[in-house]
Structure formats: structure tokens, C-alpha cells
Amino acid sequence: MRTRDVNKENIIQEKAIEMIVKEGLDGFSMQKLAKAANVSPATLYIYYKDRDDLITQIATTVSHRLMETSLKGMHPKMSFADGLELQWKNRMEFFFKHPLDVEFIEQIRYMPTYDSVRDSIRQNFGDVLGRFVHNAINRGELQPLPFEVYWSIAFAPLYQLIKFHAQGSSPASEKFSINDDIVNQTLQLVIKALKP
Amino acid sequence: MRTRDVNKENIIQEKAIEMIVKEGLDGFSMQKLAKAANVSPATLYIYYKDRDDLITQIATTVSHRLMETSLKGMHPKMSFADGLELQWKNRMEFFFKHPLDVEFIEQIRYMPTYDSVRDSIRQNFGDVLGRFVHNAINRGELQPLPFEVYWSIAFAPLYQLIKFHAQGSSPASEKFSINDDIVNQTLQLVIKALKP
DNA sequence: TTCATAAATGAATGAATATTCATTTATATT
DNA sequence: AATATAAATGAATATTCATTCATTTATGAA
């Protein structure tokens, strides 16, 4: 039998992300994607059940890549400050290497479509993070907090920084630059906030 | 001459927000909106130049309403803790009164479409907030921080809490409840982080 | 080389899309 | 009451959309 062209699959993913970041999910269509990827529209339906499945599958793939990078070098027994800093650093590294991927995720993160992606992340990576937090609390390095409070303080600021950066292209707004200083300064404030 | 039906304009806005929250910008169309608002599609083009203008205009209106509520009772000379708490409370009040409006804004907040809305907010409300922050720094109640760092710590956590709440309907995920306790606890951590 | 099979295609379908336009309707002014 | 004017309309247009299908193509196994 004829073999699947792996390269073709990658191009489809890449172009889809590019298009969605540039024009939004709104202006994204299967035919435009097919043209951009030099592929017949019908080919897309070999790889993906339908439009929705295409978006969900790509989002899941990218999210998993992001989470894997984010947890690189993490041990559940690390000190809280070290572990949080490592996660921030890892996420920033991913962001600088794959800015489009991150913008793509941020774009669909608040849509109904993303629900299943979130569940998949929780299933695959929830354990390590849960143990890390648990240990930090036991050692008195982290306040015991409801999950929502913890996450809102620990990661929402990082994502806000990333968004500032992504919005830097707006014409009338001043440009924001995310550099290591900005990120570190914010991280230190976050660690300070979470210390018991 | 025939007078414009103000009620009609409100219904159009309301239905548009409802539809976009429920189906996303993606599944939103002028014809569906016209039907939902009991109006001819052509009527929409009396009020709005085109689809994009409709979305931008409604987003601007809602954002301004949110900002006005958020600044209710604010004096630039307030203590930082009081001022920040007031803004959080005001925003939460708006959120509980108009949850759809907030979800609508969150939905388009990260799209290219929103750039002009952001600029309009800055033009109309940037001054009061700027003076408030300036005074707080002068009195030593707030660290002098780059704007990105300040905003990431001061407000990103609140918006994350709101998003958690909005996502509570996801079937496989646990439900999150935002109550006053959660919000207050987070706010106290934020104030602690920002204190010199 | 032959065969079986999944990959890949291009063209086609019907539904839905944004927008326009000639016409009608309501009202404020005269 | 008559008029002028902007609001409001419904039908129409051309375009774009997601998806399908009969057909062709490439390749691993025989």
C-alpha cells in the first residue's frame, strides 16, 4: 500500500497554525488551508475527521509539546522556587522557539473547542505537577491554596507577559519587550506572593 | 424622517453577544444574527459598516461599560490597597451582573480584531489609572515596576479566576466556583506581592 | 513483476456566507 | 395634511464554505 507522507502532515499542521494566528479561527477555512499546504481539500479529510477535529488534534499535539518542554528537568521533589522557576524558564524557551505555536494555543484557549484539550493535558501531565505542589506544601515552601488561587498567581502573570509580547505588533500601542529581566522580576514577585 | 429604533439597536447588541459567547466568533453570522434579532440582514448594515465593524463596535461599547464600572468610586489619591481592592470588587460586580458581556470580551480579547478596542480603552481611561499608580509609588505603597510586570501581577490573576469560572461548564473537568473567599485570598496575595 | 491497499486527488455539491439594492415605511418638520 | 428623509425591509447576488466521491497513484508484500 501507498505510505503516508509524514512531511505532508507536518506542512498541514504548520500552515494551519500560521493561518489561524494571522487571520483568527474566524477566517480559517479548509480550502484555504489546502491551497496553502499544496494539498487537495480531500486530503485533509484523510488526516482529520472534519474541521473541528483538525483544530482539536493540532491543538492537542502542540499543547503536549508545550507541556513536555515545560516539565523538562522537573523532579517532584525540587524546591518550590526552583521548580517554578524551571517551569517559567522552560515555557519561555518554548515561547521563543515556537512563538506561533503559543499564539495559536492562546487564540483557542478560551473557546469551547479547547475543553477536550484541557482534559487531555490534565490526564497526561496532572500527576507530576500535583506531586510537585504537594511536596512543596509539605515542606512549608508553599501556602496550601485552592487550585484556582494557586494557578492564578503562579502562571497567569507569565501568560500575560507572553500576551503583551504577542500584542507588540499593534500599531497604535507602544511595543512591549519581554526580556529576561522583566520575566525574572515578575517571577520573583510571584514567588514572594506564594511563600507562607 | 423616520426615527431610529433604539430598542432594536439594543436587541442586536444583546443577541450578538449571546450568539458569540455560545457558538464562538467562528459560528457567528450576520444572517443568523438578523434572524435572532428579528431584523432584516440589511438593517444591520445601517448600524454597522460591515461584520468586522459590528464586532469591534460592540466590543468597544461593552469594554467601556466595564471600565466605567471598574473605576466607579476611584480617586487617584486612594491608598494602593484600597484602590486595587475597589477595582477588583467593581470588576467582579460587573462580572456577576453581566457574565455574558465579560465572556464575550474574553472571547475576542486575543484576536487581531481587538487591537483597536485596546487603543480606545487606553485613550479614554489610561489617565486616571496612570495617576493612581503614580501616587501609590510616590507614597511608597507600590514598587515602581515596568507596566507589563505591574499589570501581569495586579490583574492577570483576577482574569484567570473569571476564566476558571466561565470554564466551569466543561463536562469532564471539575467545576470551579469563584466565591468572595477565593477572590479575596487571591487579592491579598497580589497586594503582598506588589508591596515594596 | 504483480497485486492489494491505503494515500492522494480534482471536481462537484449544496448549504451558508457577507453584502447590496430597489422599494416600502414611519416620523419630524413644514 | 403634505413633504422630505432616514430607517427598515426582503429578495437577490456572487462568493466561499465544509464535505463527498469516483478515480488515480504510489508503495509494501507476494
Side-chain angles (χ1 to χ4, degrees):
Chain A
M1 61 163 180
R2 188 171 178 181
T3 45
R4 203 178 262 212
D5 187 339
V6 186
N7 192 42
K8 194 158 288 182
E9 200 167 353
N10 288 337
I11 292 182
I12 291 174
Q13 276 207 21
E14 209 172 285
K15 291 291 176 188
I17 291 170
E18 230 170 71
M19 289 176 60
I20 290 175
V21 167
K22 203 167 13 161
E23 317 180 44
L25 245 200
D26 204 22
F28 169 81
S29 87
M30 300 296 270
Q31 324 225 45
K32 281 199 268 184
L33 172 58
K35 182 159 288 181
N38 265 324
V39 144
S40 162
T43 305
L44 299 176
Y45 289 85
I46 296 170
Y47 293 88
Y48 308 99
K49 194 172 128 288
D50 54 26
R51 193 188 115 113
D52 216 63
D53 182 53
L54 183 146
I55 294 163
T56 306
Q57 269 198 51
I58 296 182
T60 304
T61 302
V62 173
S63 294
H64 280 213
R65 273 206 295 266
L66 168 56
M67 285 306 290
E68 272 151 23
T69 304
S70 164
L71 296 182
K72 204 174 54 187
M74 276 282 292
H75 315 289
K77 295 182 195 163
M78 277 179 127
S79 89
F80 178 69
D82 286 353
L84 191 64
E85 178 169 355
L86 182 60
Q87 282 180 66
W88 275 52
K89 293 285 150 71
N90 283 341
R91 280 171 204 253
M92 288 306 292
E93 180 201 313
F94 187 90
F95 170 64
F96 283 120
K97 266 199 201 140
H98 313 285
L100 284 188
D101 285 7
V102 176
E103 283 190 61
F104 164 68
I105 296 288
E106 287 304 307
Q107 186 111 168
I108 62 166
R109 188 170 234 257
Y110 310 106
M111 308 199 42
T113 300
Y114 196 75
D115 282 351
S116 68
V117 179
R118 206 175 358 254
D119 292 339
S120 161
I121 291 174
R122 220 193 300 265
Q123 265 185 0
N124 286 279
F125 304 97
D127 225 48
V128 188
L129 289 171
R131 291 216 312 275
F132 166 68
V133 166
H134 181 77
N135 289 338
I137 292 174
N138 276 357
R139 281 196 306 267
E141 298 165 3
L142 170 64
Q143 300 182 47
L145 294 168
F147 172 78
E148 308 95 297
V149 178
Y150 169 67
W151 182 274
S152 298
I153 299 282
F155 288 108
L158 172 62
Y159 280 96
Q160 182 61 61
L161 288 180
I162 289 172
K163 264 169 237 148
F164 274 135
H165 188 82
Q167 283 161 14
S169 47
S170 164
S173 319
E174 315 101 63
K175 291 224 174 189
F176 294 117
S177 60
I178 294 194
N179 51 41
D180 281 353
D181 282 351
I182 296 281
V183 175
N184 265 325
Q185 200 174 1
T186 311
L187 175 59
Q188 293 317 314
L189 294 179
V190 166
I191 290 174
K192 174 178 160 194
L194 292 174
K195 204 170 283 178
Chain B
M1 63 162 179
R2 188 171 179 179
T3 45
R4 201 178 263 215
D5 187 340
V6 186
N7 192 41
K8 195 159 286 183
E9 200 165 353
N10 288 336
I11 291 182
I12 291 173
Q13 278 208 20
E14 210 172 285
K15 291 291 177 188
I17 292 171
E18 231 170 72
M19 289 176 61
I20 290 175
V21 167
K22 205 170 6 166
E23 318 180 42
L25 245 200
D26 203 23
F28 170 81
S29 88
M30 300 297 268
Q31 325 227 43
K32 280 199 269 184
L33 172 58
K35 181 158 290 183
N38 265 324
V39 144
S40 161
T43 305
L44 299 176
Y45 290 85
I46 297 171
Y47 294 88
Y48 308 100
K49 195 172 127 288
D50 53 26
R51 194 188 114 112
D52 217 61
D53 182 53
L54 183 146
I55 293 162
T56 306
Q57 269 198 51
I58 296 182
T60 304
T61 303
V62 172
S63 295
H64 280 212
R65 272 207 296 265
L66 168 55
M67 285 306 291
E68 273 151 23
T69 303
S70 164
L71 297 182
K72 205 173 54 185
M74 275 283 293
H75 315 288
K77 297 181 193 162
M78 276 179 129
S79 88
F80 178 69
D82 286 352
L84 192 64
E85 178 169 354
L86 182 60
Q87 282 180 66
W88 275 52
K89 292 286 150 70
N90 284 341
R91 280 170 204 252
M92 287 306 293
E93 180 200 313
F94 187 90
F95 171 64
F96 283 119
K97 266 199 203 139
H98 314 284
L100 284 187
D101 286 6
V102 176
E103 282 190 61
F104 164 68
I105 296 288
E106 289 303 309
Q107 187 111 168
I108 62 168
R109 187 170 236 257
Y110 310 106
M111 309 199 41
T113 300
Y114 196 75
D115 282 352
S116 68
V117 179
R118 210 177 352 259
D119 292 339
S120 160
I121 291 174
R122 220 192 303 264
Q123 266 185 359
N124 286 280
F125 303 96
D127 226 46
V128 188
L129 289 171
R131 294 216 310 278
F132 166 68
V133 167
H134 182 76
N135 289 338
I137 292 174
N138 276 357
R139 281 196 305 265
E141 299 166 1
L142 169 65
Q143 299 182 47
L145 294 168
F147 172 78
E148 308 96 298
V149 178
Y150 169 68
W151 182 273
S152 298
I153 300 281
F155 288 109
L158 172 61
Y159 280 96
Q160 182 63 60
L161 288 181
I162 290 172
K163 265 171 236 147
F164 274 136
H165 188 82
Q167 283 161 14
S169 48
S170 165
S173 319
E174 315 101 60
K175 292 224 173 187
F176 294 117
S177 61
I178 294 194
N179 51 42
D180 281 353
D181 282 352
I182 294 283
V183 174
N184 264 325
Q185 199 174 0
T186 311
L187 174 60
Q188 294 317 314
L189 294 179
V190 165
I191 290 174
K192 175 178 158 195
L194 292 173
K195 204 170 283 179

